[in-house]
């Protein structure tokens, strides 16, 4: 099969790494890719939102299957475009991707389907949002409704802070057009988990659980990021709880979409908070998580191409996913300044030495090649992933590899997996 993977982050490196192991893959292209991906696939200088360019490329290169990593092209309708042109592509159509692309849509649908989520209100004009917040007396979360690279959410301990956040989002437009509408909701508390599932239109197949770490600083402090690290599986979710999440959240969401004549095919990602009142949805995403994919795919034993094709063909009831029982941990190494304005172009050293043991994989997230030198190119630069017999061993392997890597201003969290460790030490 001739394959095209769209995207150029850590998630896409993990996808390319996994697909390169398939005996069915004869040629892999990645657009735009990165310096790590370039070792496994041919990188094509097309941006992931260049729908026309990607369509032309897929036609010319006779691509058998295109796999979309990030949300932007999905929300912009890449799947609809490719499908209309008779090309095979993995991911949901734009109507289904709205679940991620428009938080007001997701909130309305959750309300209609009685899916547990934070109590919230939707506002399309600044004044009504302002008047509402002014009457509140507890912590609030203000969310830009549109796509904002995972950063469009401001958590406010005081309503006065929420008023400032509202002004930033709706008046100053710090997240651009994503701030045309907002969702203002109650602040929930509890550990956060990611539940991802394959959805083939009718069947739902849960992937192994994982936990991301959204805040930039140790101990879950500081600003929200796209994700500073993850581990899988998470000890926070029992099988019974996973079943509840499936029957009370995922199934009703797929049914609610079907009632709107929307058939969901692809990955459905639910970002959840395990509150004292049970799991509640923070967000839905229409694609694999980043960095969750970097801990999921190293544990998957199946040929990913078989799995994706079964999903596209509505045959999820005919496959069985098999997982390596060993836990995986991924620690993201970020550039100076991230998640704010960050530096680019810093030379990276030690990549080969860090990856010289079989249980360690260094996924590139934001890198580029400058001649023979790999340099930083994004805010999240690398994801050092390791497998181990226990979560402790996986962490030790990942954290022992990191000091071998160096770039100016590199920073990372030192406590990825801390909640799993706390749970283990209690048992
Ligand atoms: P979202 O993009 O909606 O998932 O929000 C990004 C991050 O903000 C989440 O992963 C949570 O860490 C946090 N967050 C979002 N909504 C809430 C909420 N209602 N209460 C507390 N934290 C939240
Ligand atoms: N890691 C969170 C996300 O992919 O949205």
């Amino acid at each position: 099969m001739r394959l095209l993977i769209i995207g150029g982050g850590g998630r896409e490196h993990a996808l390319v790494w996994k697909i390169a192991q398939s005996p069915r893959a004869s040629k892999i292209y990645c657009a735009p890719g990165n310096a790590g991906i370039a070792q496994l696939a041919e990188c094509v200088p097309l941006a992931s939102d260049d729908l026309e360019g990607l369509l032309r490329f897929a036609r010319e290169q006779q691509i058998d299957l295109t796999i979309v990593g990030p949300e932007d092209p999905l929300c912009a309708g890449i799947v609809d475009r490719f499908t209309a042109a008779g090309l095979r592509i993995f991911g949901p159509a734009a109507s289904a991707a709205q679940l991620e692309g428009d938080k007001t849509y997701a909130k309305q649908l959750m309300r209609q389907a009685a899916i547990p989520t934070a109590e919230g209100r939707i506002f399309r004009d600044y004044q009504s949002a302002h008047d509402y917040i002014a009457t509140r007396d507890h912590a609030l979360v203000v969310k830009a409704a549109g796509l904002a690279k995972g950063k469009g959410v401001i958590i406010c301990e005081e309503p006065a802070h929420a008023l400032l956040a509202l002004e930033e989002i709706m008046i100053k437009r710090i997240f651009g057009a994503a701030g045309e509408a907002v969702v203002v909701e109650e602040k929930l508390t509890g550990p956060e988990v990611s539940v991802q599932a394959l959805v083939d239109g009718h069947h739902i197949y849960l992937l192994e659980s994982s936990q991301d770490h959204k805040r930039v600083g140790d101990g879950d402090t500081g600003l929200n990021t796209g994700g500073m690290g993850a581990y899988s599986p998470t000890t926070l979710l029992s099988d019974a709880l996973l079943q509840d999440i499936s029957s009370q959240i995922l199934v009703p969401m797929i049914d609610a979409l079907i009632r709107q004549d929307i058939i969901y095919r692809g990955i459905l990602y639910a970002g959840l908070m395990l509150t004292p009142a049970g799991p509640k949805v923070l967000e839905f995403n229409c694609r694999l998580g980043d960095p969750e994919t970097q801990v999921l795919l190293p544990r998957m034993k199946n040929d990913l191409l078989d799995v994706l094709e079964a999903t596209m063909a509505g045959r999820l009831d005919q496959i069985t996913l098999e997982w390596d029982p060993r836990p995986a941990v991924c620690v993201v190494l970020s550039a100076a300044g991230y998640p704010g304005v960050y530096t680019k172009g810093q030379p990276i050293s030690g990549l080969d030495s860090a990856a010289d043991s079989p249980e360690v994989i260094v996924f590139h997230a934001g890198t580029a090649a400058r001649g023979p030198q790999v340099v930083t190119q994004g805010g999240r630069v690398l994801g050092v992933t390791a497998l181990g017999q226990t979560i402790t061993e996986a962490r030790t392997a990942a954290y022992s590899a990191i000091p071998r890597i160096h770039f100016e201003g590199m920073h990372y969290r030192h406590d990825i997996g801390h909640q799993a460790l706390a749970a283990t030490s209690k048992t």
Side-chain angles (χ1 to χ4, degrees), residues 11 212 214 226-227 269 283 285 287-292 380:
R11 166 184 46 215
D212 187 10
K214 304 266 180 172
Y269 168 128
E283 66 168 340
N285 292 330
R287 36 85 197 164
L288 283 165
D290 185 348
E292 289 91 333
R380 292 189 290 174

Side-chain angles (χ1 to χ4, degrees), residues 308-329:
L308 299 182
E309 288 196 314
T311 310
M312 293 167 71
R315 285 192 281 104
L316 275 180
D317 55 333
Q318 292 169 30
I319 64 162
T320 304
L321 293 180
E322 288 180 38
W323 300 96
D324 189 330
R326 289 177 300 164
V329 171

Side-chain angles (χ1 to χ4, degrees), residues 11 71 100 149-150 192 194 196 211-214 225-230 269 283-285 287-293 380:
R11 166 184 46 215
E71 60 277 16
E100 174 165 4
K149 306 244 171 281
E192 223 178 305
S194 312
Q196 307 184 75
Q211 189 184 32
D212 187 10
H213 297 63
K214 304 266 180 172
T225 68
M228 293 296 288
Y269 168 128
E283 66 168 340
F284 280 108
N285 292 330
R287 36 85 197 164
L288 283 165
D290 185 348
E292 289 91 333
T293 307
R380 292 189 290 174

Side-chain angles (χ1 to χ4, degrees), residues 33-109:
N34 62 37
I37 293 173
Q39 294 172 6
L40 300 167
E42 186 172 332
C43 293
V44 187
L46 288 170
S48 56
D49 58 359
D50 179 2
L51 269 47
E52 281 311 312
L54 291 165
L55 186 64
R56 203 174 320 118
F57 179 83
R59 266 210 193 103
E60 280 168 11
Q61 295 301 327
Q62 301 183 336
I63 298 296
D64 298 303
L65 177 62
T66 299
I67 299 156
V68 189
E71 60 277 16
D72 305 69
L74 292 168
C75 294
I78 192 165
V79 171
D80 310 67
R81 296 290 297 278
F82 271 54
T83 310
L87 293 168
R88 293 174 75 222
I89 183 162
F90 181 85
S95 55
Q98 271 185 96
L99 262 195
E100 174 165 4
D102 181 358
K103 287 185 193 289
T104 68
Y105 177 75
K107 203 73 182 172
Q108 275 163 349
L109 221 51

Side-chain angles (χ1 to χ4, degrees), residues 59-400:
R59 266 210 193 103
E60 280 168 11
Q61 295 301 327
Q62 301 183 336
I63 298 296
D64 298 303
L65 177 62
T66 299
I67 299 156
V68 189
E71 60 277 16
D72 305 69
L74 292 168
C75 294
I78 192 165
V79 171
D80 310 67
R81 296 290 297 278
F82 271 54
T83 310
L87 293 168
R88 293 174 75 222
I89 183 162
F90 181 85
S95 55
Q98 271 185 96
L99 262 195
E100 174 165 4
D102 181 358
K103 287 185 193 289
T104 68
Y105 177 75
K107 203 73 182 172
Q108 275 163 349
L109 221 51
M110 283 191 268
R111 203 177 283 153
Q112 280 167 25
I115 292 171
T117 180
E119 272 310 313
R121 298 270 299 263
I122 294 164
F123 297 98
R124 295 183 197 283
D125 75 284
Y126 170 77
Q127 198 54 48
S128 358
H130 180 281
D131 294 350
Y132 172 75
I133 294 172
T135 64
R136 303 283 97 187
D137 59 2
H138 51 76
L140 291 169
V141 180
V142 186
K143 302 183 171 188
L147 293 179
K149 306 244 171 281
K151 297 182 196 164
V153 170
I154 305 182
I155 297 164
C156 310
E157 298 304 329
E158 306 282 335
H161 180 193
L163 286 175
L164 292 177
L166 179 72
E167 191 178 326
E168 296 281 313
I169 296 176
M170 284 196 111
I171 306 287
K172 296 190 188 152
R173 291 290 170 98
I174 55 168
F175 305 120
E180 273 169 19
V182 290
V183 174
V184 180
E185 63 184 33
E186 61 173 335
K187 179 177 174 243
L188 300 175
T189 50
E192 223 178 305
V193 292
S194 312
V195 173
Q196 307 184 75
L198 296 160
V199 182
D200 71 1
H202 301 282
H203 310 99
I204 294 175
Y205 200 138
L206 288 185
L207 298 172
E208 285 278 280
S209 63
S210 54
Q211 189 184 32
D212 187 10
H213 297 63
K214 304 266 180 172
R215 302 291 196 94
V216 70
D218 287 352
D220 297 319
T221 54
L223 293 174
N224 258 326
T225 68
M228 293 296 288
Y231 66 93
S232 169
T234 165
T235 40
L236 298 167
L237 288 174
S238 61
D239 286 347
L241 196 50
L242 272 169
Q243 278 321 310
D244 286 352
I245 290 166
S246 180
S247 62
Q248 288 162 29
I249 294 174
L250 300 179
V251 172
M253 181 44 81
I254 297 305
D255 287 346
L257 288 165
I258 290 175
R259 284 196 293 278
Q260 300 205 339
D261 288 329
I262 296 173
I263 306 295
Y264 199 103
R265 275 193 205 88
I267 303 285
L268 182 61
Y269 168 128
L272 304 169
M273 203 160 252
L274 303 179
T275 77
K280 293 193 180 182
V281 177
L282 300 176
E283 66 168 340
F284 280 108
N285 292 330
C286 60
R287 36 85 197 164
L288 283 165
D290 185 348
E292 289 91 333
T293 307
Q294 291 88 307
V295 287
L296 212 57
L297 293 184
R299 298 189 56 230
M300 182 186 272
K301 290 187 173 170
N302 303 65
D303 184 327
L304 183 60
L305 292 176
D306 294 344
V307 174
L308 299 182
E309 288 196 314
T311 310
M312 293 167 71
R315 285 192 281 104
L316 275 180
D317 55 333
Q318 292 169 30
I319 64 162
T320 304
L321 293 180
E322 288 180 38
W323 300 96
D324 189 330
R326 289 177 300 164
V329 171
C330 170
V331 182
V332 171
L333 310 184
S334 314
Y338 180 79
V341 178
Y342 53 83
T343 50
K344 288 187 187 176
Q346 299 296 334
I348 307 172
S349 61
L351 286 167
D352 290 340
S353 150
D356 74 359
S357 73
E359 68 275 13
V360 175
I361 315 160
V362 179
F363 290 121
H364 290 222
T367 66
R370 196 197 283 150
Q373 177 66 55
V374 176
V375 299
T376 67
Q377 171 79 8
R380 292 189 290 174
V381 178
L382 299 165
V384 179
T385 301
L387 289 158
Q389 292 302 330
T390 60
I391 187 93
T392 308
E393 279 185 32
R395 284 184 95 214
T396 305
Y399 279 111
S400 317

